[in-house]
């Protein structure tokens, strides 16, 4: 009798999970679709000037694969690159100068801002320094891009043309590296979960309050940066790209975010430890260091991602066809919504049924992020430790 009641209760939990997946499929901005690419481009009669700001700390390992692509931009207007060496110890600044001498292309200025003052993350302090130098050139646009991002030769041209459609921010989610076994398992899911939280279609819709950007590639109108007080207004933001987008929307600006075809991150994450560190560094901060939000997130992840495969096993073992069927349907919807992202990353579709396992890893990363926070360890980032709960920078 007790076993029957337990199976019946689990059936209802599974039905709730299936209902959640039906809602996500149809009512969450079609987040699972990967066709949100650069909006219609309008080439201006006169191309505006652009300054590219690249914050860099200990990036000598990736600069040879990324910086030459920026210097080689085929842009009809005036463009200049400012690389801000944020206290690197690996020769990042000198390597950047050498790459400029070797490859030529756009003018490059390498500068250093010194140690960030209290209340600033190192990355945003470097961005502030770069923007201050760039403003002397009076550019109409700023391209904020990370040191690990490689751009196709027409990337800047396409971004500026897209901004001509009336956007103050045009941002592209760079295609992350998926070469190691762990990258193939974890990275596409990272972008999938991000799109689930911030559906791209909602971000670009006029009047929508949903705001997000991808810090590796953000074209920002300079006048809007001044109106929204970027980066001062977000100087200790946990996830600075999302904070930037919110500040711009709060100032009355329009934001667009979509997937990139020819903007790629060259940063490797060969081991699970590397990916774990990337996620756990800011996962709990994303939840505003709130225990109730943490418990709700863990429960939500378990209900949506873990219940379906467990229901299939429990239903089969207990002879409950209804439980197994409801679990299988929810699992099928889950895998189906993940398939477009796997195609975008050119990965095997056999990874789709493994999404519950990947989600379980993200659940553990989130819990670990909270554990590290309460142990008072802060967040380590390229040799710096941030003890403030609101001072955890993005990778870059």
């Amino acid at each position: 009798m007790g076993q029957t009641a337990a199976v019946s209760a689990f059936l209802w939990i599974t039905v709730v999970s299936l209902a959640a997946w039906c809602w996500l499929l149809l009512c969450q901005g079609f987040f699972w679709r990967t066709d949100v690419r650069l909006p219609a481009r309008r080439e201006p009669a006169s191309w505006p000037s652009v300054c590219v700001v690249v914050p860099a700390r200990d990036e000598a390992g990736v600069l040879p694969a990324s910086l030459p692509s920026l210097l080689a931009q085929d842009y009809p207007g005036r463009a200049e690159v400012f690389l801000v060496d944020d206290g690197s110890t690996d020769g990042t600044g000198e390597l950047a100068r050498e790459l400029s001498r070797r490859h030529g292309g756009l003018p490059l200025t390498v500068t250093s801002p010194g140690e960030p003052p209290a209340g600033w993350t190192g990355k945003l302090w470097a961005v502030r320094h770069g923007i201050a130098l760039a403003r002397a050139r009076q550019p109409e646009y700023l391209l904020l891009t990370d040191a690990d991002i490689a751009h196709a030769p027409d990337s800047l041209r396409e971004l500026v043309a897209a901004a001509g459609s009336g956007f103050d921010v045009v941002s592209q989610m760079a295609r992350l590296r998926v070469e190691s076994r762990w990258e193939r398992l974890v990275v596409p899911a990272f972008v999938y979960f991000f799109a689930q939280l911030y559906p791209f279609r909602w971000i670009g819709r006029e009047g929508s309050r949903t705001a997000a950007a991808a810090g590796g590639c953000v074209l920002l109108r300079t006048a809007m940066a001044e109106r929204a007080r970027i980066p001062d207004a977000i100087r200790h933001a946990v996830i600075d790209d999302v904070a930037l987008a919110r500040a711009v929307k709060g100032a009355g600006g329009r934001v667009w975010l979509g997937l990139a075809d020819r903007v790629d991150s060259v940063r490797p994450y060969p081991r699970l430890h590397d990916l774990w560190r990337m996620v756990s560094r800011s996962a709990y901060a994303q939840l505003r260091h709130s225990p109730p939000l943490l418990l709700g997130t863990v429960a939500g992840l378990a209900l949506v991602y873990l219940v379906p495969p467990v229901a299939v096993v429990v239903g089969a073992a207990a002879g409950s066809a209804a439980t197994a069927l409801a679990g299988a349907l929810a699992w099928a919807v889950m895998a189906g919504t993940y398939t477009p992202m796997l195609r975008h990353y050119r990965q095997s579709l056999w990874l789709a049924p493994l999404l519950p396992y990947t989600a379980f890893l993200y659940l553990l990363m989130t819990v670990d992020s909270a554990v590290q926070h309460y142990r008072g360890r802060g967040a380590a980032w390229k040799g710096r430790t941030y003890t403030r709960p609101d001072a955890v920078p993005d990778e870059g």
Side-chain angles (χ1 to χ4, degrees):
M1 184 68 177
Q3 182 179 357
T4 302
V7 172
S8 179
F10 195 73
L11 169 60
W12 283 109
I13 294 173
T14 307
V15 168
V16 172
S17 179
L18 175 59
W21 273 110
C22 291
W23 185 87
L24 287 170
L25 176 68
L26 301 173
C27 303
Q28 187 64 8
F30 295 101
F31 75 94
W32 44 272
R33 294 182 58 172
T34 56
D35 56 351
V36 181
R37 305 302 169 90
L38 279 176
R41 269 81 85 198
R42 299 178 182 176
E43 293 199 355
S46 176
W47 288 87
S49 61
V50 182
C51 285
V52 183
V53 177
V54 186
R57 179 174 172 85
D58 292 336
E59 298 285 19
V62 297
L63 276 186
S66 61
L67 185 59
S69 73
L70 274 177
L71 301 176
Q73 285 301 297
D74 179 17
Y75 185 67
R78 181 167 59 88
E80 186 173 352
V81 180
F82 292 85
L83 186 138
V84 186
D85 182 6
D86 179 21
S88 299
T89 59
D90 65 350
T92 289
E94 185 51 45
L95 175 59
R97 295 185 184 93
E98 172 59 28
L99 290 169
S100 178
R101 288 191 292 266
R102 190 187 313 164
H103 294 277
L106 298 183
L108 173 70
T109 298
V110 178
T111 183
S112 179
E115 284 296 306
W120 282 84
T121 66
K123 177 182 176 180
L124 286 173
W125 180 244
V127 168
R128 185 182 192 274
H129 187 73
I131 289 178
L133 292 177
R135 280 178 177 155
R137 310 295 201 269
Q138 297 183 325
E140 188 170 338
Y141 289 98
L142 299 162
L143 175 61
L144 311 180
T145 185
D146 289 342
D148 66 314
I149 302 298
H151 293 257
D154 61 350
S155 175
L156 182 56
R157 181 177 187 143
E158 292 283 281
L159 287 166
V160 172
S165 298
F167 293 99
D168 298 287
V169 168
V170 175
S171 178
Q172 289 187 288
M173 177 72 72
R175 195 190 301 267
L176 306 177
R177 203 185 87 140
V178 282
E179 295 183 11
S180 73
R181 177 184 61 179
W182 288 111
E183 287 170 338
R184 290 193 292 271
L185 181 69
V186 174
V187 165
F190 176 84
V191 182
Y192 172 88
F193 293 142
F194 185 93
Q196 192 176 86
L197 287 173
Y198 307 102
F200 296 160
R201 278 176 172 75
W202 290 357
I203 292 168
R205 184 186 304 163
E206 195 165 6
S208 169
R209 298 180 61 183
T210 304
C217 180
V218 177
L219 183 75
L220 172 64
R221 198 181 300 272
T222 305
M224 179 52 68
E226 294 173 356
R227 189 191 311 173
R229 297 178 53 247
I230 303 295
D232 296 60
I234 60 170
R235 60 187 178 276
H236 49 63
V238 173
I239 304 178
D240 48 65
D241 42 16
V242 174
L244 182 150
R246 287 175 177 164
V248 167
K249 280 207 170 184
R254 291 189 64 195
V255 177
W256 184 93
L257 171 63
L259 295 172
D261 290 312
R262 302 172 67 204
V263 177
D264 302 289
S265 172
V266 298
R267 190 183 303 282
Y269 293 100
R271 302 170 300 167
L272 177 60
H273 169 77
D274 303 314
L275 290 158
W276 192 290
R277 179 173 171 270
M278 177 191 75
V279 175
S280 66
R281 185 177 57 246
S282 60
Y284 193 42
Q286 171 73 33
L287 301 176
R288 300 195 294 274
H289 303 100
S290 166
L293 283 178
L294 174 65
L295 291 175
T297 298
V298 170
L301 285 171
L303 173 67
V304 174
Y305 289 98
L306 305 186
V307 164
V310 172
V312 172
V313 175
V314 169
S320 173
T323 301
L325 178 61
L329 287 173
W331 198 355
V333 175
M334 180 197 317
T337 61
Y338 191 38
T339 296
M341 189 62 69
L342 290 173
R343 286 201 178 104
H344 173 67
Y345 272 93
R346 306 183 186 96
Q347 297 303 302
S348 169
L349 300 187
W350 287 107
L351 290 171
L354 297 180
L355 186 57
Y357 173 69
T358 307
F360 181 62
L361 289 177
Y362 275 91
L363 186 155
L364 294 178
M365 294 173 194
T366 303
V367 172
D368 181 60
S369 180
V371 169
Q372 297 306 318
H373 169 75
Y374 288 113
R375 285 182 176 176
R377 293 182 179 178
W381 181 76
K382 294 183 180 177
R384 284 198 183 107
T385 299
Y386 297 86
T387 56
R388 287 173 55 103
D390 57 351
V392 187
D394 284 350
E395 187 83 44

